[in-house]
Amino acid sequence: MPDLVTPGDAHLAARAGQHLGRRHDRFLAVAVTGGLARTAHVGLEAGADVEIGSVSKGVTGMLFADSRSRGETTDGTRVGDLLPLDGSPAAEVTLGELATHRSGLPRLAKGTASVRATLDLWRHGTNPYGESLDELLVATRGTRVGRKRSSYSNLGFMLLGHAVAAAAGTTYAGLVRERLTEPLLLASTTVPATPADLAPGAVIGRSKRGKAMMPWTGEALGPAGGIRTTADDLARLVAALLDGTAPGTEALDPVARLSGGVRIGAAWLVLERRGAVVTWHNGGTGGFRSIVALDRAAGVGVALVSATSRSVDRAGFALLEEYVA
């Protein structure tokens, strides 16, 4: 595991800040290259605890790949074999379909994250999620399954994570702890089910207009967007993905094609960009935007998390190219 630079790398902070622009005034950055992991904080304290949004799906993809390698699940395992969906259409969906967003499930289960909840998110900064696993399963039983085509589904990854955890005889939070955070020494990475589970001093994100946004917590949400972490833990995770010591790194290997030349493994996206093959996943919550991007051939990886709802994707790709060069 590379050494971490503490209290922060000034060059990384400056380069990330230039790529992000002045509207991102609270962010953390990670760069792993040449056997060294660099971390930086701007507008946030060292050890700041932040939301990574749908980068959580990348973690879930890794846990699924690890589960396959242990013989607990396969691509063809039905969700209904692991979760009590009582013969509903969703019970027939396979884990492999969930992992590649080809399940036919909608973005969200029927009756969850309603239009009212979404409006409250933008008006008042409230959390549109928060359902328990039992509530998610009830909603999923009443959800239709459409045509098996490429279509992004938060519901799909919620079910995938909880199904893989059930196959291991634990909860999703327990699975993350036992198979990821403890082996990789990610001491500050958590999956909070309620606001009471947040670490003291957890960073509160903001909207584009500067409104404070309620933290996105929820047992159901965890596998699709509920993980929180720190720069040091992100650095360890990126380093482990690059050197292959992270569980389930085969999740990064593409197995299907999406539109626009993008390929997908278990959640992780792969594209060719300016002559390089980039493996990545981004994320967004009410008050955060994030990206992890890797050039595996060059052994270089970066991560950015901004405590505002403005995109960091372009900056993340630019920062990766800079460190590869």
Side-chain angles (χ1 to χ4, degrees), residues 2-322:
D3 294 329
L4 296 178
V5 176
T6 306
D9 186 284
H11 176 76
L12 173 59
R15 299 310 303 152
Q18 182 167 343
H19 290 305
L20 285 167
R22 61 182 177 81
R23 293 184 176 181
H24 293 270
D25 59 354
R26 297 189 305 153
F27 65 86
L28 58 82
V30 166
V32 179
T33 181
L36 178 69
R38 302 169 174 88
T39 65
H41 300 79
V42 171
L44 298 173
E45 295 182 359
D49 171 276
V50 298
E51 297 175 357
I52 60 172
S54 286
V55 174
S56 305
K57 292 182 175 69
V59 171
T60 297
M62 293 162 58
L63 293 171
F64 171 47
D66 180 64
S67 174
R68 288 184 310 197
S69 72
R70 294 169 181 262
E72 295 170 344
T73 62
T74 69
D75 283 338
T77 300
R78 298 165 55 254
V79 181
D81 294 334
L82 299 170
L83 296 175
L85 292 174
D86 302 336
S88 65
E92 300 302 316
V93 171
T94 68
L95 303 190
E97 291 169 340
L98 295 177
T100 54
H101 291 294
R102 299 187 67 85
S103 65
L105 288 168
R107 192 175 186 92
L108 294 168
K110 182 179 179 181
T112 60
S114 65
V115 173
R116 173 66 179 273
T118 302
L119 288 175
D120 285 344
L121 164 67
W122 300 121
R123 288 175 178 171
H124 309 298
T126 55
N127 175 14
Y129 296 97
E131 294 88 2
S132 68
L133 175 56
D134 286 342
E135 289 170 330
L136 175 70
L137 294 176
V138 168
T140 300
R141 293 183 194 115
T143 298
R144 297 180 59 184
V145 177
R147 185 163 60 92
K148 300 298 177 75
R149 58 183 179 84
S150 177
S151 182
Y152 193 85
S153 176
N154 284 314
L155 169 60
F157 266 82
M158 292 180 198
L159 294 175
L160 177 63
H162 292 298
V164 170
T170 187
T171 63
Y172 181 75
L175 190 70
V176 171
R177 182 175 60 254
E178 295 162 15
R179 297 190 176 175
L180 184 76
T181 64
E182 289 181 350
L184 296 184
L185 303 179
L186 310 183
S188 301
T189 298
T190 61
V191 193
T194 70
D197 298 325
L198 294 173
V203 177
I204 301 300
R206 299 173 184 160
S207 70
K208 292 179 181 179
R209 296 186 178 183
K211 178 190 292 293
M213 307 299 281
M214 182 180 293
W216 280 19
T217 62
E219 181 189 19
L221 173 66
I227 294 177
R228 295 185 71 107
T229 192
T230 63
D232 280 9
D233 278 11
L234 270 176
R236 292 183 182 277
L237 177 61
V238 169
L241 288 170
L242 290 172
D243 68 18
T245 58
T249 52
E250 58 268 33
L252 280 62
D253 300 329
V255 296
R257 289 192 175 275
L258 304 179
S259 60
V262 178
R263 295 174 291 162
I264 187 170
W268 291 91
L269 304 172
V270 180
L271 58 81
E272 293 187 15
R273 179 181 170 89
R274 300 180 182 176
V277 177
V278 178
T279 304
W280 63 286
H281 209 294
N282 62 358
T285 63
F288 292 85
R289 290 294 183 271
S290 58
I291 187 169
V292 172
L294 314 169
D295 185 328
R296 298 173 72 190
V300 177
V302 302
L304 290 174
V305 183
S306 178
T308 181
S309 60
R310 296 182 182 277
S311 175
V312 298
D313 292 356
R314 184 174 297 178
F317 290 130
L319 190 64
L320 179 66
E321 290 173 4
E322 184 170 330

